[in-house]
Amino acid sequence: MSIKTKLGSLVVVSVFITTGLLLVALRTETELRFITVFSVIATLLLTQFFAHGLTAPLDEMTTVARGISHGDYTRRVRGADRRDELGDLASTINRMADDLEAVDRHRKELVANVSHELRTPIAALRAVLENVVDGVSAADPETMRTALAQTERLGRLVETLLDLSRLDNGVVPLRCRRFEVWPYLSGVLKEAGLAASQRAVGGSASGPHTRSDVHLHLDVSPPELTAHADMERLHQVVANLIDNAVKHSPPHGRVTVRARRGPYPESLDLEVQDEGPGIPEAERHKVFERFNRGSVPSPHGPGSDGGTGLGLAIARWAVDLHGGRIGVAESARGCRILVTLPGIPPQRD
C-alpha cells in the first residue's frame, strides 16, 4: 500500500468517525461540543498511529544517511522490503551505501596496490644504482640493462595508470576506421616480441619476451578479413590479452589468437586462448575488475612479474567504448577470452 493510499485511508476513516459520532449525538441528544471533542481526540490518535509508521523509517534513514556522510558505510536501513515509497527509498539508500562502500574499498586497494607496484621497480633500480655508485658493481652493459628493465617496468605502470585515469574521466574519443585484420594483428604481436612467422594456422614464432618459451599462433580467417574499430584502443585490448595469456601459460605453452568475421558489416570476433590453469567459473565474473589477480595456485609462468591486475580492466574499458562485449568463454583447456566488436551495425529505418 502506497503512502498516498494510506493518507487517503486516514482521511476516509476520520470522516467516518466524525460522521458516526454526529449520528450518535443526534440519536442520543448528546451536546455537539462533546462530539467535537471526541472526534478531535479520535482523529488525533488515529493520525498519531499512522504518523509513527511513516516517520519512524524516516528517522532511521536520516541516521544512516548522517553516518554515510561521516564515512560509515556499514550501516543499512531496515524496511527495504516494504511495498511503498519508503521501501523504495530504503532500498535506494542501501544500494547507495553498497556502492560507496565498494568505491571506498577500491580506493584503498588502489592506493595499496599502486604503492606496492611503484615500490618494487623503484627499489630494484635504487639497488642497482647504489651498487654502481659504491663501486660494488661496474656500470657495464649488463648492469645498465638491468636498470633499464626496471625503468621500463616503471614506465609501463605509469602508462597503465594514465590509461586508468582516462578511463575514469571518460575523455578518450573513438577514432574508428576500416583496416585489414591480419597485418594489424601481426604488427601488434611483433611489438609484443612474439611475431607470427606465417599466415597459415599453426604458424608461430618466439621473441624476446619475458616468456620466450611461449609460442604464439595467429589464425585469421579469411586472410583478407577487415574490420572497423579504433586501432589504438584495439591495440590495448589485444596486447593486454596476449600479455595475460603468456603470463599464465605453462613452460613451452601455446597462445592462440583467432579472428573471425562477425555478424555485422566490418564486425569482428576475436579470441585469445592459452593452455594455462584456466579461470574457475566462480571467479569469471570478476576477472575484469581492477587489481584482480585471481586465486589460481601459481598462476604466473616463469619469468612473469605478476602484473598489476589492470590489464583486463583496461581491455574491458576499450571494448565497452566500442559498444562490444568481452568475457570468459568455455574452453576444454586453459582460458579463452572472447571479444566481439560491433563494426558498423545495420541502419534502422
XYZ file of all heavy atoms in Angstrom, residues 218-311:
713
model
N 48.814 -17.375 -34.712
C 47.846 -16.418 -35.231
C 46.988 -17.097 -36.295
O 47.499 -17.722 -37.223
C 48.560 -15.203 -35.832
C 47.667 -14.120 -36.436
C 46.722 -13.551 -35.384
C 48.527 -13.024 -37.052
N 45.675 -16.972 -36.140
C 44.730 -17.603 -37.062
C 43.687 -16.567 -37.457
O 42.822 -16.211 -36.649
C 44.085 -18.812 -36.375
C 43.013 -19.473 -37.237
O 42.930 -19.135 -38.432
O 42.266 -20.311 -36.696
N 43.800 -16.068 -38.689
C 42.851 -15.094 -39.218
C 42.148 -15.721 -40.409
O 42.800 -16.155 -41.368
C 43.550 -13.793 -39.645
C 42.527 -12.813 -40.227
C 44.271 -13.160 -38.467
N 40.825 -15.777 -40.351
C 40.075 -16.391 -41.437
C 38.801 -15.577 -41.708
O 38.032 -15.294 -40.779
C 39.706 -17.834 -41.084
O 38.979 -18.444 -42.125
N 38.639 -15.175 -42.966
C 39.533 -15.349 -44.108
C 40.751 -14.440 -44.007
O 40.717 -13.451 -43.267
C 38.636 -14.962 -45.290
C 37.658 -13.992 -44.709
C 37.393 -14.472 -43.325
N 41.826 -14.748 -44.741
C 43.050 -13.941 -44.629
C 42.843 -12.473 -44.967
O 43.546 -11.615 -44.429
C 44.001 -14.617 -45.626
C 43.492 -16.008 -45.742
C 42.007 -15.921 -45.618
N 41.879 -12.182 -45.848
C 41.644 -10.786 -46.251
C 40.624 -10.097 -45.339
O 40.070 -9.039 -45.699
C 41.157 -10.726 -47.700
C 39.798 -11.370 -47.944
C 39.870 -12.872 -48.148
O 40.961 -13.457 -47.956
O 38.822 -13.467 -48.490
N 40.369 -10.655 -44.160
C 39.372 -10.117 -43.233
C 39.661 -8.656 -42.902
O 40.803 -8.261 -42.642
C 39.375 -10.949 -41.942
C 38.417 -10.510 -40.834
C 36.967 -10.658 -41.279
C 38.679 -11.325 -39.571
N 38.616 -7.835 -42.888
C 38.716 -6.432 -42.495
C 37.747 -6.159 -41.348
O 36.784 -6.894 -41.134
C 38.403 -5.484 -43.669
O 37.067 -5.733 -44.123
C 39.388 -5.688 -44.804
N 38.006 -5.091 -40.628
C 37.158 -4.712 -39.502
C 37.118 -3.201 -39.389
O 37.926 -2.483 -40.004
C 37.670 -5.332 -38.204
N 36.175 -2.693 -38.586
C 36.001 -1.251 -38.377
C 36.069 -0.990 -36.877
O 35.179 -1.391 -36.131
C 34.662 -0.793 -38.948
C 34.457 0.682 -38.906
N 33.861 1.320 -37.843
C 34.794 1.665 -39.786
C 33.811 2.618 -38.075
N 34.372 2.856 -39.247
N 37.155 -0.345 -36.426
C 37.340 -0.090 -34.994
C 38.421 0.963 -34.815
O 39.078 1.392 -35.780
C 37.727 -1.379 -34.261
N 38.594 1.401 -33.573
C 39.689 2.294 -33.210
C 40.938 1.439 -33.020
O 41.033 0.652 -32.076
C 39.346 3.047 -31.918
C 40.367 4.118 -31.561
O 41.581 3.840 -31.667
O 39.967 5.215 -31.170
N 41.915 1.589 -33.898
C 43.075 0.705 -33.891
C 43.911 0.864 -32.626
O 44.481 -0.099 -32.122
C 43.921 0.961 -35.144
C 43.162 0.697 -36.444
S 44.094 1.114 -37.929
C 45.406 -0.106 -37.839
N 43.998 2.083 -32.104
C 44.793 2.300 -30.890
C 44.143 1.631 -29.686
O 44.812 0.978 -28.885
C 44.955 3.796 -30.629
C 45.844 4.104 -29.431
C 46.045 5.588 -29.221
O 45.583 6.373 -30.079
O 46.650 5.959 -28.207
N 42.824 1.780 -29.546
C 42.126 1.148 -28.428
C 42.144 -0.371 -28.579
O 42.294 -1.098 -27.598
C 40.684 1.644 -28.354
C 40.531 3.146 -28.161
C 40.737 3.573 -26.712
N 42.124 3.628 -26.313
C 42.929 4.635 -26.561
N 42.508 5.676 -27.215
N 44.177 4.607 -26.135
N 41.981 -0.864 -29.804
C 42.022 -2.306 -30.030
C 43.408 -2.865 -29.728
O 43.541 -3.999 -29.260
C 41.624 -2.628 -31.473
C 41.553 -4.108 -31.840
C 40.561 -4.841 -30.934
C 41.169 -4.287 -33.302
N 44.433 -2.062 -29.976
C 45.800 -2.475 -29.634
C 45.912 -2.745 -28.141
O 46.558 -3.716 -27.708
C 46.782 -1.390 -30.072
C 48.219 -1.761 -29.865
N 48.817 -1.784 -28.617
C 49.181 -2.146 -30.741
C 50.071 -2.143 -28.731
N 50.326 -2.371 -30.014
N 45.284 -1.897 -27.320
C 45.305 -2.109 -25.879
C 44.632 -3.427 -25.515
O 45.106 -4.160 -24.640
C 44.608 -0.949 -25.169
C 45.364 0.364 -25.195
C 44.593 1.458 -24.501
O 43.487 1.810 -24.918
N 45.142 2.010 -23.447
N 43.529 -3.724 -26.173
C 42.803 -4.964 -25.883
C 43.673 -6.169 -26.196
O 43.897 -7.044 -25.356
C 41.493 -5.019 -26.686
C 40.792 -6.352 -26.460
C 40.573 -3.869 -26.293
N 44.185 -6.230 -27.428
C 44.950 -7.402 -27.864
C 46.229 -7.541 -27.058
O 46.581 -8.643 -26.607
C 45.251 -7.302 -29.370
C 46.075 -8.503 -29.824
C 43.955 -7.228 -30.168
N 46.957 -6.446 -26.862
C 48.232 -6.510 -26.143
C 48.031 -6.994 -24.709
O 48.797 -7.823 -24.211
C 48.913 -5.141 -26.165
N 46.999 -6.495 -24.050
C 46.764 -6.905 -22.668
C 46.306 -8.355 -22.580
O 46.706 -9.078 -21.665
C 45.723 -5.988 -22.023
C 46.311 -4.670 -21.548
O 47.284 -4.649 -20.795
N 45.736 -3.575 -21.990
N 45.472 -8.789 -23.525
C 45.022 -10.179 -23.503
C 46.188 -11.131 -23.776
O 46.298 -12.186 -23.131
C 43.914 -10.390 -24.535
C 42.575 -9.702 -24.236
C 41.568 -10.022 -25.333
C 42.032 -10.120 -22.876
N 47.048 -10.781 -24.718
C 48.206 -11.630 -25.014
C 49.157 -11.660 -23.834
O 49.659 -12.720 -23.436
C 48.916 -11.137 -26.281
C 48.030 -11.366 -27.506
C 50.258 -11.838 -26.464
C 48.614 -10.820 -28.791
N 49.405 -10.497 -23.248
C 50.307 -10.438 -22.102
C 49.781 -11.293 -20.958
O 50.536 -12.033 -20.312
C 50.462 -8.985 -21.654
C 51.414 -8.834 -20.485
O 52.617 -9.076 -20.659
O 50.952 -8.477 -19.378
N 48.476 -11.227 -20.708
C 47.880 -12.025 -19.642
C 47.962 -13.513 -19.960
O 48.265 -14.337 -19.080
C 46.423 -11.606 -19.457
C 45.764 -12.281 -18.272
O 46.030 -11.970 -17.121
N 44.883 -13.228 -18.555
N 47.717 -13.879 -21.217
C 47.765 -15.285 -21.605
C 49.179 -15.842 -21.505
O 49.392 -16.975 -21.048
C 47.231 -15.445 -23.030
N 50.161 -15.050 -21.915
C 51.550 -15.508 -21.852
C 51.988 -15.725 -20.410
O 52.652 -16.712 -20.084
C 52.473 -14.494 -22.561
C 53.939 -14.797 -22.275
C 52.223 -14.510 -24.064
N 51.611 -14.816 -19.521
C 51.999 -14.931 -18.117
C 51.436 -16.184 -17.456
O 52.057 -16.751 -16.564
C 51.546 -13.695 -17.344
C 52.327 -12.431 -17.670
C 51.738 -11.240 -16.942
C 52.525 -9.976 -17.267
N 51.933 -8.783 -16.628
N 50.269 -16.622 -17.914
C 49.623 -17.770 -17.291
C 49.867 -19.071 -18.040
O 49.271 -20.096 -17.695
C 48.114 -17.521 -17.169
C 47.758 -16.449 -16.180
N 47.917 -15.114 -16.452
C 47.265 -16.520 -14.914
C 47.518 -14.402 -15.403
N 47.122 -15.227 -14.462
N 50.700 -19.032 -19.058
C 50.962 -20.233 -19.848
C 51.997 -21.122 -19.167
O 52.898 -20.625 -18.482
C 51.465 -19.849 -21.248
O 50.465 -19.197 -21.985
N 51.895 -22.435 -19.358
C 52.910 -23.348 -18.819
C 54.186 -23.262 -19.653
O 54.189 -22.662 -20.738
C 52.241 -24.722 -18.959
C 51.343 -24.560 -20.144
C 50.830 -23.143 -20.083
N 55.291 -23.816 -19.193
C 56.525 -23.812 -19.988
C 56.284 -24.418 -21.363
O 55.637 -25.458 -21.503
C 57.489 -24.653 -19.151
C 56.981 -24.518 -17.743
C 55.494 -24.430 -17.865
N 56.776 -23.738 -22.385
C 56.633 -24.160 -23.779
C 55.161 -24.287 -24.173
O 54.800 -25.124 -25.001
C 57.358 -25.485 -24.028
C 58.798 -25.458 -23.618
N 59.751 -24.735 -24.299
C 59.428 -26.037 -22.550
C 60.933 -24.886 -23.698
N 60.756 -25.664 -22.628
N 54.331 -23.459 -23.569
C 52.917 -23.473 -23.899
C 52.617 -22.727 -25.180
O 53.500 -22.145 -25.821
N 51.344 -22.720 -25.547
C 50.906 -22.086 -26.788
C 49.790 -21.104 -26.472
O 48.876 -21.399 -25.714
C 50.417 -23.131 -27.785
C 49.753 -22.535 -29.024
C 49.174 -23.602 -29.943
N 50.211 -24.480 -30.456
C 49.972 -25.449 -31.337
N 48.732 -25.657 -31.767
N 50.955 -26.215 -31.769
N 49.873 -19.930 -27.088
C 48.815 -18.925 -27.024
C 48.290 -18.732 -28.439
O 49.057 -18.430 -29.353
C 49.325 -17.597 -26.453
C 48.246 -16.523 -26.564
C 49.750 -17.762 -25.001
N 47.003 -18.921 -28.611
C 46.387 -18.843 -29.932
C 45.497 -17.610 -30.019
O 44.648 -17.384 -29.157
C 45.542 -20.099 -30.222
O 46.377 -21.254 -30.103
C 44.960 -20.037 -31.625
N 45.710 -16.826 -31.055
C 44.890 -15.648 -31.331
C 44.092 -15.921 -32.596
O 44.672 -16.177 -33.660
C 45.766 -14.389 -31.516
C 44.882 -13.172 -31.802
C 46.626 -14.144 -30.290
N 42.767 -15.903 -32.479
C 41.895 -16.170 -33.620
C 41.042 -14.939 -33.927
O 40.572 -14.265 -33.010
C 40.980 -17.358 -33.341
C 41.695 -18.679 -33.129
C 40.696 -19.829 -33.013
N 41.374 -21.093 -32.747
C 41.617 -21.567 -31.534
N 41.249 -20.855 -30.472
N 42.232 -22.717 -31.378
N 40.843 -14.691 -35.195
C 39.990 -13.588 -35.633
C 39.036 -14.107 -36.693
O 39.452 -14.791 -37.635
C 40.838 -12.448 -36.188
N 37.757 -13.787 -36.530
C 36.733 -14.219 -37.467
C 35.791 -13.047 -37.774
O 35.708 -12.092 -37.007
C 35.916 -15.381 -36.884
C 36.720 -16.642 -36.619
C 37.138 -17.315 -37.914
N 37.790 -18.602 -37.681
C 39.106 -18.756 -37.519
N 39.895 -17.679 -37.541
N 39.622 -19.952 -37.327
N 35.081 -13.170 -38.859
C 34.118 -12.145 -39.236
C 32.901 -12.219 -38.313
O 32.395 -13.301 -38.019
C 33.702 -12.341 -40.684
C 32.969 -11.133 -41.283
C 32.460 -11.443 -42.685
N 33.499 -12.019 -43.531
C 34.409 -11.310 -44.180
N 34.415 -9.990 -44.058
N 35.313 -11.903 -44.938
N 32.421 -11.058 -37.873
C 31.248 -11.007 -37.009
C 29.958 -10.968 -37.801
O 29.959 -11.014 -39.042
N 28.812 -10.844 -37.115
C 27.505 -10.890 -37.800
C 27.173 -9.628 -38.582
O 26.335 -9.663 -39.483
C 26.519 -11.099 -36.651
C 27.208 -10.510 -35.455
C 28.665 -10.784 -35.656
N 27.807 -8.482 -38.251
C 27.511 -7.224 -38.924
C 28.637 -6.850 -39.871
O 29.757 -7.370 -39.767
C 27.289 -6.102 -37.902
C 26.155 -6.349 -36.950
C 26.392 -6.452 -35.584
C 24.854 -6.469 -37.417
C 25.340 -6.683 -34.703
C 23.800 -6.698 -36.545
C 24.054 -6.803 -35.188
O 23.024 -7.031 -34.326
N 28.388 -5.930 -40.796
C 29.453 -5.476 -41.684
C 30.635 -4.897 -40.901
O 30.460 -4.051 -40.020
C 28.766 -4.402 -42.542
C 27.316 -4.749 -42.502
C 27.084 -5.332 -41.142
N 31.834 -5.375 -41.232
C 33.085 -4.922 -40.607
C 33.148 -5.229 -39.109
O 33.975 -4.659 -38.393
C 33.304 -3.412 -40.814
C 33.242 -2.971 -42.257
C 34.343 -3.591 -43.113
O 35.339 -4.041 -42.538
O 34.183 -3.632 -44.338
N 32.286 -6.116 -38.607
C 32.383 -6.526 -37.203
C 33.441 -7.618 -37.063
O 33.846 -8.242 -38.048
C 31.037 -7.019 -36.684
O 30.576 -8.129 -37.432
N 33.857 -7.856 -35.822
C 34.991 -8.755 -35.592
C 34.771 -9.582 -34.343
O 34.387 -9.052 -33.292
C 36.283 -7.933 -35.449
C 37.574 -8.702 -35.186
C 37.944 -9.573 -36.379
C 38.717 -7.736 -34.861
N 35.006 -10.884 -34.461
C 35.046 -11.796 -33.315
C 36.493 -12.199 -33.096
O 37.121 -12.806 -33.976
C 34.189 -13.038 -33.565
C 32.700 -12.725 -33.548
O 32.327 -11.666 -33.006
O 31.921 -13.529 -34.087
N 37.022 -11.851 -31.941
C 38.431 -12.088 -31.641
C 38.529 -12.889 -30.349
O 37.825 -12.600 -29.386
C 39.173 -10.753 -31.490
C 40.651 -10.784 -31.161
C 41.444 -11.286 -32.355
C 41.130 -9.388 -30.762
N 39.400 -13.887 -30.326
C 39.598 -14.650 -29.100
C 41.079 -14.935 -28.888
O 41.843 -15.080 -29.850
C 38.813 -15.957 -29.117
C 39.251 -16.979 -30.144
C 38.445 -18.263 -30.056
O 37.206 -18.185 -30.095
O 39.078 -19.344 -29.935
N 41.448 -14.972 -27.623
C 42.815 -15.292 -27.213
C 42.733 -16.446 -26.228
O 42.058 -16.345 -25.200
C 43.512 -14.078 -26.561
C 44.911 -14.455 -26.102
C 43.563 -12.904 -27.534
N 43.410 -17.535 -26.541
C 43.333 -18.746 -25.729
C 44.732 -19.203 -25.343
O 45.656 -19.206 -26.165
C 42.610 -19.855 -26.485
C 42.428 -21.131 -25.664
C 41.531 -22.138 -26.364
O 41.153 -21.932 -27.511
N 41.178 -23.209 -25.667
N 44.872 -19.609 -24.078
C 46.148 -20.144 -23.607
C 45.943 -21.575 -23.122
O 44.851 -22.126 -23.170
C 46.730 -19.261 -22.494
C 45.803 -19.143 -21.292
O 45.354 -20.193 -20.785
O 45.532 -18.013 -20.840
N 47.028 -22.172 -22.630
C 46.985 -23.549 -22.129
C 47.278 -23.598 -20.635
O 47.740 -24.605 -20.114
C 47.992 -24.413 -22.897
C 47.692 -24.510 -24.391
C 48.724 -25.321 -25.139
O 49.844 -25.508 -24.589
O 48.433 -25.771 -26.262
N 47.017 -22.489 -19.945
C 47.289 -22.403 -18.521
C 46.243 -23.090 -17.674
O 45.446 -23.903 -18.163
N 46.200 -22.763 -16.382
C 45.265 -23.421 -15.457
C 43.813 -23.014 -15.660
O 42.909 -23.637 -15.106
C 45.768 -22.981 -14.080
C 46.444 -21.676 -14.335
C 47.078 -21.797 -15.690
N 43.559 -21.977 -16.437
C 42.189 -21.537 -16.646
C 41.662 -20.707 -15.484
O 42.370 -20.462 -14.498
N 40.428 -20.280 -15.611
C 39.791 -19.448 -14.593
C 38.595 -20.201 -14.027
O 37.709 -20.607 -14.778
C 39.322 -18.109 -15.181
C 40.511 -17.351 -15.775
C 38.634 -17.258 -14.119
C 40.113 -16.069 -16.479
N 38.551 -20.421 -12.707
C 37.391 -21.106 -12.121
C 36.098 -20.364 -12.445
O 36.077 -19.132 -12.507
C 37.690 -21.086 -10.622
C 39.180 -20.931 -10.529
C 39.571 -20.093 -11.704
N 35.040 -21.107 -12.637
C 33.769 -20.496 -13.023
C 33.285 -19.492 -11.989
O 32.670 -18.483 -12.330
C 32.725 -21.593 -13.229
C 31.404 -21.088 -13.786
C 30.453 -22.213 -14.122
O 30.860 -23.388 -14.001
O 29.311 -21.914 -14.504
N 33.589 -19.736 -10.721
C 33.133 -18.831 -9.658
C 33.833 -17.482 -9.712
O 33.348 -16.508 -9.126
C 33.357 -19.474 -8.289
N 34.985 -17.395 -10.401
C 35.749 -16.145 -10.444
C 35.636 -15.433 -11.780
O 36.198 -14.349 -11.944
C 37.230 -16.432 -10.150
C 37.496 -16.972 -8.767
C 38.983 -17.106 -8.482
O 39.779 -16.637 -9.317
O 39.337 -17.674 -7.441
N 34.916 -15.999 -12.720
C 34.883 -15.413 -14.055
C 34.210 -14.057 -14.089
O 34.518 -13.225 -14.943
C 34.172 -16.369 -15.023
C 34.960 -17.643 -15.290
C 34.235 -18.570 -16.244
N 34.997 -19.804 -16.453
C 34.585 -20.805 -17.204
N 33.415 -20.733 -17.820
N 35.337 -21.889 -17.337
N 33.275 -13.820 -13.167
C 32.557 -12.555 -13.188
C 33.407 -11.382 -12.707
O 33.030 -10.225 -12.921
C 31.296 -12.652 -12.313
C 31.597 -12.779 -10.851
N 32.031 -13.954 -10.273
C 31.544 -11.864 -9.842
C 32.219 -13.764 -8.984
N 31.932 -12.510 -8.697
N 34.542 -11.654 -12.074
C 35.359 -10.560 -11.539
C 36.756 -10.490 -12.134
O 37.590 -9.755 -11.621
C 35.448 -10.675 -10.017
C 36.077 -11.971 -9.518
C 36.104 -12.006 -7.990
C 36.754 -13.285 -7.478
N 36.776 -13.337 -6.006
N 37.020 -11.249 -13.210
C 38.372 -11.235 -13.775
C 38.700 -9.893 -14.409
O 39.875 -9.566 -14.591
C 38.551 -12.357 -14.818
C 38.428 -13.719 -14.175
C 37.551 -12.214 -15.961
N 37.676 -9.111 -14.770
C 37.926 -7.820 -15.395
C 37.895 -6.668 -14.395
O 37.887 -5.510 -14.791
C 36.900 -7.572 -16.506
C 36.970 -8.590 -17.617
C 36.065 -9.637 -17.673
C 37.952 -8.513 -18.592
C 36.128 -10.573 -18.686
C 38.028 -9.444 -19.606
C 37.116 -10.485 -19.653
N 37.853 -6.986 -13.102
C 37.921 -5.936 -12.084
C 39.358 -5.466 -11.919
O 40.304 -6.216 -12.142
C 37.384 -6.459 -10.752
C 35.902 -6.802 -10.769
C 35.421 -7.326 -9.429
O 36.260 -7.449 -8.505
O 34.224 -7.624 -9.308
N 39.499 -4.240 -11.489
C 40.834 -3.671 -11.298
C 41.586 -4.383 -10.188
O 41.029 -4.681 -9.147
C 40.739 -2.175 -10.974
C 40.033 -1.359 -12.037
C 39.858 0.072 -11.587
N 39.064 0.816 -12.547
C 38.737 2.092 -12.412
N 39.119 2.761 -11.330
N 38.016 2.695 -13.327
N 42.859 -4.619 -10.440
C 43.783 -5.224 -9.478
C 43.400 -6.641 -9.113
O 43.897 -7.180 -8.133
C 43.905 -4.373 -8.206
C 44.438 -2.998 -8.461
C 43.631 -1.889 -8.315
C 45.741 -2.817 -8.865
C 44.111 -0.615 -8.559
C 46.228 -1.542 -9.112
C 45.417 -0.442 -8.960
N 42.507 -7.251 -9.874
C 42.180 -8.648 -9.616
C 43.243 -9.534 -10.262
O 43.491 -9.456 -11.466
C 40.801 -8.989 -10.178
C 40.461 -10.459 -9.989
O 40.283 -10.931 -8.864
N 40.397 -11.191 -11.088
N 43.865 -10.413 -9.461
C 44.912 -11.295 -9.980
C 44.524 -12.757 -9.863
O 45.327 -13.622 -10.143
C 46.220 -11.065 -9.207
C 46.675 -9.610 -9.237
C 48.070 -9.488 -8.700
N 48.444 -8.090 -8.541
C 49.675 -7.689 -8.272
N 50.634 -8.574 -8.142
N 49.942 -6.412 -8.134
N 43.287 -13.017 -9.436
C 42.831 -14.391 -9.347
C 43.423 -15.113 -8.152
O 44.301 -14.621 -7.451
N 42.894 -16.321 -7.938
C 43.351 -17.129 -6.809
C 43.838 -18.495 -7.253
O 43.922 -19.415 -6.452
C 42.193 -17.314 -5.807
O 41.092 -17.943 -6.442
N 44.166 -18.628 -8.554
C 44.676 -19.901 -9.046
C 46.078 -20.120 -8.487
O 46.909 -19.224 -8.520
C 44.724 -19.903 -10.586
C 45.281 -21.222 -11.091
C 43.339 -19.661 -11.150
N 46.375 -21.299 -7.927
C 47.704 -21.555 -7.383
C 48.766 -21.401 -8.456
O 48.645 -21.938 -9.560
C 47.618 -23.015 -6.889
C 46.156 -23.253 -6.686
C 45.461 -22.451 -7.715
N 49.820 -20.653 -8.137
C 50.940 -20.420 -9.050
C 50.447 -20.011 -10.428
O 50.700 -20.670 -11.433
C 51.822 -21.682 -9.159
O 52.299 -22.058 -7.900
N 49.705 -18.892 -10.521
C 49.108 -18.550 -11.790
C 50.084 -18.023 -12.812
O 49.775 -18.008 -13.990
C 48.092 -17.457 -11.411
C 48.685 -16.814 -10.211
C 49.415 -17.900 -9.483
N 51.225 -17.576 -12.402
C 52.127 -16.926 -13.317
C 53.240 -17.868 -13.723
O 53.831 -18.567 -12.913
C 52.718 -15.651 -12.696
C 51.659 -14.731 -12.183
N 50.671 -14.206 -12.979
C 51.405 -14.255 -10.945
C 49.875 -13.434 -12.271
N 50.305 -13.458 -11.027
N 53.565 -17.842 -14.988
C 54.606 -18.707 -15.500
C 55.979 -18.183 -15.173
O 56.152 -17.106 -14.609
N 57.043 -18.916 -15.538
C 58.385 -18.462 -15.274
C 58.683 -17.185 -16.024
O 58.330 -17.015 -17.178
C 59.249 -19.646 -15.784
C 58.369 -20.377 -16.738
C 56.999 -20.200 -16.266
N 59.305 -16.277 -15.325
C 59.650 -15.006 -15.944
C 58.583 -13.951 -15.803
O 58.748 -12.835 -16.265
N 57.491 -14.268 -15.193
C 56.410 -13.297 -15.029
C 56.614 -12.522 -13.747
O 57.001 -13.038 -12.729
C 55.054 -14.024 -14.995
O 54.044 -13.134 -14.613
N 56.315 -11.212 -13.838
C 56.419 -10.369 -12.645
C 55.096 -10.251 -11.914
O 54.975 -9.539 -10.936
C 56.927 -8.960 -13.013
C 55.993 -8.255 -13.983
O 54.922 -8.802 -14.271
O 56.342 -7.163 -14.429
N 54.073 -10.980 -12.383
C 52.782 -10.969 -11.697
C 51.824 -9.935 -12.216
O 50.626 -10.048 -12.063
N 52.308 -8.876 -12.880
C 51.423 -7.875 -13.447
C 50.817 -6.977 -12.393
O 51.054 -7.106 -11.202
N 50.023 -6.027 -12.881
C 49.404 -5.056 -11.984
C 47.951 -5.367 -11.703
O 47.364 -4.759 -10.817
C 49.478 -3.651 -12.613
O 48.731 -3.667 -13.837
C 50.915 -3.264 -12.904
N 47.363 -6.276 -12.460
C 45.948 -6.552 -12.288
C 45.057 -5.520 -12.946
O 43.863 -5.453 -12.660
N 45.641 -4.696 -13.840
C 44.871 -3.665 -14.519
C 44.649 -3.965 -15.993
O 43.815 -3.334 -16.633
C 45.580 -2.302 -14.396
C 45.580 -1.665 -13.009
C 46.465 -0.429 -13.017
C 44.180 -1.293 -12.583
N 45.395 -4.907 -16.543
C 45.345 -5.162 -17.977
C 43.967 -5.535 -18.476
O 43.457 -4.965 -19.447
